[in-house]
Amino acid sequence: MINTVVEAGAEALTADALDPFIDIEEEINRLRREKNAVILAHYYQSPEIQDIADFVGDSLDLSRKAAETDADMIAFCGVKFMAECAKTLSPNKLVVLPDGEAGCSLEDSCQPEDFKKFREKFPDHLALSYVNCSAEVKALSDIIVTSSNAKSILDQIPPEQKLIFGPDRHLGAYLAKESGRDMEIWPGTCIVHEQFNERELVKLMVRHPEAKVAAHPECPENILKHADHVGSTRSLLEFVTLSEGQEFIIATEQQIIHQMELAAPDRTFIAAPGPDGTCNCANCPFMALNDMEKLYLAMLNEAPRIEMPEDLRLAALAPLQKMLDMSPTQQVKKSVAA
Ligand code: 13P
Ligand code: SF4
């Protein structure tokens, strides 16, 4: 796999050498001004990172923001494949990420050479790939989707067209069921969403009979079948803000609850439980690698940063641009409870 992350050099300031008395927040704000930087954060980042960001969003929103911004530097607080998307869409900008090791289990499950062989087995099929994959896998795909536009993009593809979908098998199964289409699905999973436990969820629902369940489509079917609403992180946020109800059980990475509490402070949000009845599983270990100190150092050192060969970037850009062109500009604002 091509490494697209350039780590800081020997001359860079390290966390160990950082003055313990500096005000990190103030320093990030100073660098943001001085370097004309925009800070983009995914909903799964820690509350302090979400609070300092210029924009917090889901994968699709963040791609759009990265494509539109006139900043010189994009400080991307999320995981590597997201920062790669930003660089692919905005090649002339410096794209830094706080921790260059922030990967994704879905990306790891789908190595480009294996995906290439998978594609070759189905020569008549169009390859629809979830954005949670490497630039190399994107370059081998026809159209990229995110959890917020996958269904509407699928609906624009003629029904007779055969499809492969990767790398998330739960999102793939959900889309196949929703659209009634048969797809060849890559068997990857998100280590966060596959941990939710149906038995524990049902016990929680019994204790909170009025609570509505909001779930991300990366969850397995035995969790999704209990959901009042299934959607991308932004769609879940809209659901808990706009639908009726006071209590919501949230089956996705729990850091999103921060935005939910900001948007609807009078409502109660309960993290869906993991296998042992706690919600500890609902923390993405990759997203959690980022912190304020690392964000500051990345902006200061201009590394870790994304760099990729131009031929790879152009090959990844084509299916990514197709996704943006096929995405509804106005997302559905209101969700319907089942
Ligand atoms: P969305 O932000 O598109 O909902 O995706 C969630 C996710 O798992 C990102 O890694
Ligand atoms: Fe990947 Fe899952 Fe983490 Fe998202 S939450 S970055 S899909 S491991």
Side-chain angles (χ1 to χ4, degrees):
M1 175 127 60
I2 294 175
N3 179 21
T4 57
V5 177
V6 177
E7 292 289 348
E11 72 297 344
L13 184 66
T14 61
D16 299 341
L18 205 54
D19 174 357
F21 294 104
I22 63 163
D23 182 331
I24 291 285
E25 207 176 304
E26 218 171 271
E27 288 299 301
I28 291 173
N29 286 329
R30 179 180 63 76
L31 289 175
R32 170 163 37 199
R33 280 191 309 276
E34 286 177 11
K35 299 199 176 203
N36 185 28
V38 65
I39 302 173
L40 304 182
H42 190 269
Y43 291 123
Y44 295 168
Q45 291 293 280
S46 67
E48 48 186 355
I49 289 185
Q50 293 187 37
D51 291 348
I52 206 164
D54 295 287
F55 181 79
V56 185
D58 70 3
S59 306
L60 178 62
D61 296 329
L62 293 168
S63 300
R64 283 199 170 119
K65 282 281 164 195
E68 283 163 11
T69 181
D70 56 7
D72 296 317
M73 173 193 281
I74 299 173
F76 207 114
C77 303
V79 291
K80 194 181 66 177
F81 76 81
M82 297 177 176
E84 276 181 354
C85 284
K87 186 68 179 177
T88 304
L89 291 161
S90 285
N92 298 325
K93 307 208 184 307
L94 182 60
V95 178
V96 299
L97 67 165
D99 192 310
E101 298 290 319
C104 169
S105 64
L106 285 167
E107 176 182 348
D108 292 344
S109 80
C110 191
Q111 296 300 311
E113 54 280 14
D114 300 331
F115 186 71
K116 191 161 177 279
K117 285 187 200 136
F118 179 62
R119 267 222 81 163
E120 283 163 1
K121 269 186 14 201
F122 304 103
D124 302 334
H125 291 53
L126 201 76
L128 222 59
S129 293
Y130 190 33
V131 70
N132 297 38
C133 62
S134 64
E136 277 179 278
V137 168
K138 288 188 178 74
L140 293 166
S141 307
D142 295 303
I143 310 174
I144 303 303
V145 300
T146 76
S147 52
S148 80
N149 58 20
K151 175 68 172 51
S152 88
I153 288 179
L154 204 47
D155 290 345
Q156 296 171 57
I157 300 171
E160 63 280 8
Q161 174 63 57
K162 294 179 187 163
L163 297 167
I164 58 177
F165 182 85
D168 186 352
R169 75 181 168 94
H170 296 309
L171 176 61
Y174 172 73
L175 290 170
K177 187 169 163 224
E178 287 292 295
S179 64
R181 294 178 78 139
D182 204 16
M183 300 192 288
E184 300 295 335
I185 299 175
W186 182 272
T189 56
C190 162
I191 51 167
V192 179
H193 291 86
E194 75 171 351
Q195 290 293 320
F196 293 118
N197 181 288
E198 183 183 10
R199 190 178 144 79
E200 295 298 332
L201 173 64
V202 171
K203 276 166 45 185
L204 189 65
M205 290 167 71
V206 170
R207 290 204 301 279
H208 298 269
E210 299 298 319
K212 287 181 175 163
V213 178
H216 196 280
E218 288 173 16
C219 294
E221 154 64 15
N222 68 350
I223 297 297
L224 295 181
K225 73 179 186 202
H226 297 288
D228 295 286
H229 178 73
V230 176
S232 75
T233 45
R234 175 156 60 85
S235 151
L236 300 185
L237 181 59
E238 286 174 359
F239 174 71
V240 303
T241 318
L242 298 172
S243 75
E244 302 203 335
Q246 264 319 110
E247 268 191 329
F248 296 85
I249 295 171
I250 308 301
T252 192
E253 219 275 6
Q254 62 188 352
Q255 300 287 23
I256 195 177
I257 292 177
H258 178 57
Q259 288 300 320
M260 293 176 170
E261 287 174 342
L262 289 176
D266 56 323
R267 298 182 169 196
T268 304
F269 305 105
I270 309 159
D276 61 357
T278 74
C279 62
N280 291 339
C281 62
N283 255 138
C284 173
F286 303 106
M287 292 273 181
L289 286 174
N290 295 333
D291 62 28
M292 294 283 276
E293 257 186 24
K294 290 180 187 171
L295 169 59
Y296 164 65
L297 290 171
M299 293 174 79
L300 181 78
N301 295 326
E302 306 193 346
R305 65 176 177 274
I306 302 290
E307 279 179 20
M308 64 178 97
E310 186 61 4
D311 56 345
L312 171 62
R313 188 189 75 79
L314 290 174
L317 178 63
L320 202 52
Q321 189 58 52
K322 221 170 268 170
M323 169 188 90
L324 293 177
D325 296 344
M326 293 174 83
S327 300
T329 44
Q330 198 56 47
Q331 294 288 308
V332 180
K333 277 277 175 269
K334 208 161 175 89
S335 312
V336 184

